[in-house]
Amino acid sequence: MPPANGVSTPGSRPGSTKPGTPISSTSNSSLILRKQLLDLQKNPVDGFSAGLVDDDNILEWQIVIMGPADTLYEGAILKARLIFPPEFPLLPPKMIFDSEMWHPNVYDKGDKKGEVCVSILHQPGEDEWGYEDAGERWLPVHTVESVLISVISLLSQDVPDLSSPANVDAAKEVREDFASYKKKVKRLARRSAEEAYD
């Protein structure tokens, strides 16, 4: 997504919000996000930690999710980013896993690789395909905490929801060879923990 002012920063990742977005368009977002970050630092929530990728850019956060106990992700240390639009909280952030993921709700190819596809992160309003109620989609009352709890809940499901997968191959494997799916997820979870300590 190009920055609002058209200035690009060499070396930044696709989907990243670049520094240089005019302050006037992000001042409300900045205040809300700074408050949420401060709240999370003062009152940490079990299962994840959050901080800024760059202290000068409140619109991009580094997230670490600890794999939920008694799930395929137990022991994982999953790294991700939340990228907020200047219009936050009116529009949802994007969540992109930097750790390799194999899940029906996480894109695994192209420009969207690592991006989480879950109702709470979908644009507000009616779903043009009729899969979701407007109340399941993004609402301005959602917070970073509610988004991350939703994603942790997604990872905690015994069997992932296959109704509209972002990763069709993972969904197919869940349906046709669940044992193989579980083995791959557990291997990636172990790898994420090993990479966290490298």
Side-chain angles (χ1 to χ4, degrees), residues 78-101:
L78 304 170
K79 295 181 181 180
R81 289 171 294 129
L82 275 174
I83 300 168
F84 299 89
E87 300 84 4
F88 181 84
L90 299 177
L91 295 178
K94 285 183 184 179
M95 183 166 176
I96 301 170
F97 276 104
D98 293 319
S99 297
E100 187 177 352
M101 296 292 290

Side-chain angles (χ1 to χ4, degrees), residues 60-170:
E60 188 169 0
W61 291 26
Q62 177 71 46
I63 305 297
V64 176
I65 294 177
M66 305 306 292
D70 302 319
T71 72
L72 297 177
Y73 294 93
E74 183 171 12
I77 301 173
L78 304 170
K79 295 181 181 180
R81 289 171 294 129
L82 275 174
I83 300 168
F84 299 89
E87 300 84 4
F88 181 84
L90 299 177
L91 295 178
K94 285 183 184 179
M95 183 166 176
I96 301 170
F97 276 104
D98 293 319
S99 297
E100 187 177 352
M101 296 292 290
W102 186 246
H103 191 283
N105 292 87
V106 180
Y107 288 97
D108 71 325
K109 296 177 183 150
D111 292 347
K112 290 191 166 205
K113 184 174 173 127
E115 188 173 333
V116 178
C117 179
V118 64
S119 299
I120 195 173
L121 295 177
H122 294 168
Q123 297 288 325
E126 295 298 320
D127 178 9
E128 63 185 284
W129 295 286
Y131 288 112
E132 303 165 331
D133 291 330
E136 296 175 293
R137 296 167 73 90
W138 179 258
L139 296 170
V141 297
H142 287 305
T143 63
V144 170
E145 182 177 342
S146 65
V147 166
L148 293 175
I149 288 172
S150 179
V151 171
I152 290 169
S153 175
L154 181 82
L155 298 177
S156 299
Q157 294 173 329
D158 289 334
V159 178
D161 180 13
L162 305 176
S163 59
S164 69
N167 180 338
V168 176
D169 295 330

